[in-house]
């Protein structure tokens, strides 16, 4: 009998489950292709990329479980920069989009991770900091991406109105305040909806996993809420930071609205 970690029963069972999930995803992509929605390539690449990335991350975490806790900071920083790049790619027409997204994610996710580690909600160990921190970073990325994407659409749709307002002597911050507000609101809709439905429409995976592993259901519920609150705080801080920085990059020193030409 072959004795190798690659043939571990748990890993083999996991591969079977991955295969089943991929079949379901392939069915969806196939339906999209048949309907001519032209999304199959993007969706197919996203699924394949997601699988490869999560497997690589699992392998990296397995190797890093024995390294000093300080390594977590570098890992999470790398995740933040990667998240900023993805958010920037969704809002590439906004000048300085990468710098704005980086500031939003680093501030939003960074503050939450540091504070919650200090109070003990996140254990100061690689095996805790990286997985929990990655959830916080990912939601900061989503919020930054949505905020910038919505703001870009708002500016392009209302460019003439904004420029006319500036011509009347209104300050840039007031001229775009309504559009920034819409961007922040749009960025937080998914997180707010998740908080509203928490424990009613859905039971999150972390709570489910804790219960299945034998934790007290009440404690599992408490910790799940803590995680959701951390996610909300990170998303809120990230989107608000992006909104606050948009004015700096969207206008020239002469208070003129820049051309959104893909400059970053």
């Amino acid at each position: 009998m072959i004795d190798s970690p690659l043939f571990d029963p748990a890993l083999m069972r996991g591969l079977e489950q991955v295969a089943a999930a991929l079949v379901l995803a392939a069915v969806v992509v196939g339906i999209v292709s048949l309907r001519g929605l032209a999304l199959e390539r993007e969706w197919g690449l996203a699924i394949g990329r997601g699988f490869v990335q999560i497997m690589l991350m699992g392998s990296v975490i397995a190797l890093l479980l024995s390294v000093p806790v300080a390594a977590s900071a570098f890992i999470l920083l790398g995740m933040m920069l990667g998240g900023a790049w993805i958010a920037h790619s969704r809002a590439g027409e906004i000048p300085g989009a990468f710098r704005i997204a980086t500031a939003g994610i680093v501030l939003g996710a960074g503050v939450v991770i540091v504070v919650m580690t200090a109070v003990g909600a996140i254990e100061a160990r690689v095996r805790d900091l990286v997985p929990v921190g990655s959830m916080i970073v990912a939601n900061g990325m989503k919020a930054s991406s949505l905020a910038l994407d919505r703001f870009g659409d708002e500016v392009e749709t209302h460019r003439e109105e904004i420029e006319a307002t500036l011509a009347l002597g209104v300050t840039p911050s007031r001229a775009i305040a309504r559009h920034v507000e819409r961007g922040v609101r749009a960025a937080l809709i998914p997180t707010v909806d998740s908080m509203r439905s928490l424990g009613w429409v859905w039971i999150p995976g972390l709570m489910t996993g804790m219960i299945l592993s034998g934790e007290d259901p009440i404690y599992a519920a408490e910790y799940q809420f803590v995680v959701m609150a951390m996610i909300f705080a990170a998303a809120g801080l990230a989107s608000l930071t992006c909104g606050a920085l948009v004015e700096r990059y969207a206008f020239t020193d002469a208070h003129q609205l820049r051309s959104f030409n893909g400059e970053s």
Side-chain angles (χ1 to χ4, degrees):
M1 182 176 179
I2 299 176
D3 185 16
S4 169
L6 293 177
F7 293 93
D8 182 273
L11 292 181
M12 298 303 293
R13 184 170 64 253
L15 287 175
E16 293 173 359
Q17 295 165 354
V18 167
L22 287 175
V23 169
L24 290 175
V27 169
V28 174
V29 173
I31 294 173
V32 166
S33 178
L34 290 174
R35 295 195 59 183
L37 299 181
L39 295 171
E40 62 272 12
R41 184 175 184 276
E42 180 181 358
W43 288 14
L45 288 174
I47 294 168
R49 178 176 174 177
F51 174 72
V52 171
Q53 288 175 172
I54 197 66
M55 293 303 295
L56 287 174
M57 179 53 66
S59 301
V60 169
I61 292 175
L63 292 173
L64 293 176
L65 290 180
S66 60
V67 303
V69 68
S72 300
F74 296 98
I75 298 170
L76 291 173
L77 180 59
M79 290 180 176
M80 292 177 188
L81 292 176
W85 183 259
I86 293 173
H88 145 268
S89 68
R90 287 290 188 183
E93 293 184 348
I94 297 178
F98 178 70
R99 292 185 287 273
I100 295 172
T102 299
I105 296 171
V106 170
L107 179 62
V111 167
V112 172
I113 292 171
V114 169
V115 170
M116 298 309 287
T117 301
V119 301
I122 305 175
E123 293 289 336
R125 302 179 300 178
V126 174
R127 67 186 308 144
D128 293 289
L129 273 168
V130 173
V132 177
S134 70
M135 289 191 291
I136 297 171
V137 171
N139 281 274
M141 175 198 72
K142 292 176 185 176
S144 299
S145 180
L146 289 170
L148 291 173
D149 183 63
R150 178 60 181 269
F151 178 74
D153 289 343
E154 284 284 317
V155 169
E156 287 306 305
T157 302
H158 301 91
R159 175 173 289 274
E160 293 182 0
E161 174 188 331
I162 295 171
E163 291 177 337
T165 304
L166 291 171
L168 294 175
V170 177
T171 62
S173 59
R174 289 185 59 189
I176 64 169
R178 175 164 54 95
H179 310 295
V180 171
E181 178 186 346
R182 288 176 178 171
V184 172
R185 183 183 293 118
L188 290 180
I189 286 176
T191 305
V192 171
D193 285 349
S194 293
M195 290 290 282
R196 285 175 175 170
S197 62
L198 185 63
W200 173 37
V201 176
W202 67 301
I203 300 176
L206 177 61
M207 179 178 173
T208 302
M210 291 176 68
I211 293 173
L212 292 176
S213 66
E215 288 283 359
D216 183 279
I218 301 300
Y219 174 70
E222 291 173 340
Y223 193 71
Q224 181 64 72
F225 177 78
V226 169
V227 170
M228 292 300 297
M230 289 191 289
I231 287 173
F232 175 81
L237 286 172
S239 59
L240 288 170
T241 300
C242 289
L245 291 176
V246 153
E247 177 188 341
R248 174 182 174 185
Y249 291 96
F251 294 93
T252 67
D253 292 337
H255 294 178
Q256 296 175 323
L257 187 62
R258 294 183 187 275
S259 173
F260 285 16
N261 58 7
E263 174 190 349
S264 61

